[in-house]
Amino acid sequence: MLETLDAAAVRRWCASGLAALQRHQGEIDDLNVYPVPDGDTGTNLVLTLTSAQQALAMDLETLPDDGHTPHGHALRLMARGALLGARGNSGVILSQILRGFADALAAAPAVRGRQLAAALADAATAAYAAVAHPVEGTLLTVVAAAARAAEQADTDDLRAVARAAAGGAARALARTPEQLPALARAGVVDAGGRGLCLLLDALVEVVTGESPARPAPAPPAVRPPATVVRETGSPAYAYEVQYLLDATDEAVARLRGELDGLGDSLVIVGDGGTWNVHVHVNDVGAAVEAGVVAGRPHRISVTRFADQVAPAAPLPSPLPDGRAAVVVATGAGIAELFAAEGATVVPANPSTGELLDAIRATGAARVVVLPNDPNTQSVASAAAREAHRLGVKVSVVPTRSPVQALAALAVRDPKRRFEDDVIAMAEAAGACRYAEVCHASKEALTVAGPCRPGDVLALVEGEVHLIGADLLDTCTAMVDRMLGGGGELVTLLCGADAPAGLADRVREHVERSWPFVEVQAYEGGQPHYPLLVGVE
């Protein structure tokens, strides 16, 4: 039994809490009545705390040099890791709970009962402050109840306060169906609150050496169809956007107001310079661009809710056998297209670490990576090698353009063996010829002849094939040249600087000149290239 919480106990708590969440991961996922990505609360909490434990493990022997105590240093590492690995609403809120806990105890010479109670109060305050529009009957309610029970214990006995906090959380969890009608209709308690109860029980076990005996929540009742559409917020918003952001406090304050006007379920948490941003929106591009204005967004994840409808019967946990796709994209429209295909999107020119982070964040054991740029292929291969060392099987399909990635994603079939699926995706990408149109930035000698600044260049498979003066004429001539070699489907991605109506006029040309060819046109939003073309 412990009289005070030291650094070793913090590490044992993190490991024990993660183990408990992993044991109950499926149970917590099943508690959800919301078929959306952040509805997979058990999985998201496991991924969040896994990142916290990894941060502790990588800094196991480091002594604090920031004036904090060893236990304070360990708590800060745990909170920082959770922030960087947070997934979904519940994961982001948990990271803020840990941050409030760490901030309160970082400089405390010893952590006894009253210090633990004060830390839980700060954690609850931080959690509520992180959510733009707090809802009772959720994880927030449970952490607030734990803090109140700890304060009411009014003792320096660490064991008594830990037990009181865990008991208060459990009682609050049992009352969550009274606060949220959706929980009552489904016959379940709040999933995020259940996860926090497991963490507090793990803390009791570390402090006392005893496991609290608590019955598990009742299994989910048979749910009426379409009881609700998501864990938080309105069904009017189609996408979940989440990213890390390097920005100042002032910039983040402005970002809160802008994102709150774009959507709902807004949560922004940070630890001084790095922030985790989570919001539900319809305009993915605007949400990401707001982050670009505020600072440097990275680890961008976009998921479409329509792809996350819960199955009629529970499925096994996706972690051991699940599959995922990670795609590199430039342009908000292109990112939306990939997200609609169920892929995790990474911004252009990623580092090996950023790609590796995206691969691991999927939680899948088998991942295909689509780099969409020759310069990114070596980075993708390096990330794949690192992922293999961590037990994740990664295959890189060497796509050189977003149109090839769209072709590859279109043929994915989870019923096939992973290896066969990768082969099919590679074949589809290889069968898609790609081209791009841009303006020359300087004088040069190309295989199509000399060009001057401002000339329109049409590149097919990376080589300059045409040099023109008019953008539309060059685009249509390029498409004619590509279709001269055969093709049934043309995909057009319009860039951010494309003149209005460019895609429509190219489509009309194809329909007149190639009446048996289908044309699909999208707003890609990519910079520098007014038009990207794929021919299949």
Side-chain angles (χ1 to χ4, degrees), residues 342-360:
T344 296
V345 180
V346 179
N349 196 30
S351 67
T352 300
E354 288 171 334
L355 263 183
L356 180 60
D357 288 340
I359 291 167
R360 294 172 63 188

Side-chain angles (χ1 to χ4, degrees), residues 92-102 119 123-124 126-127 139 143 196:
V92 172
I93 294 171
L94 175 62
S95 75
Q96 193 70 349
I97 289 172
L98 293 175
R99 180 197 169 191
F101 200 85
L139 172 57
V143 70
L196 181 65

Side-chain angles (χ1 to χ4, degrees), residues 9 33-34 164 184 197 207 225 235 240 255 318-319 383 414 418 431 479:
V33 293
Y34 317 96
C197 285
V207 170
E240 178 193 51
L255 177 65
L319 288 177
F418 176 70
V479 172

Side-chain angles (χ1 to χ4, degrees), residues 123-149:
T125 299
Y128 272 89
V131 180
H133 303 286
V135 176
E136 296 301 331
T138 64
L139 172 57
L140 297 175
T141 305
V142 176
V143 70
R148 284 194 301 271

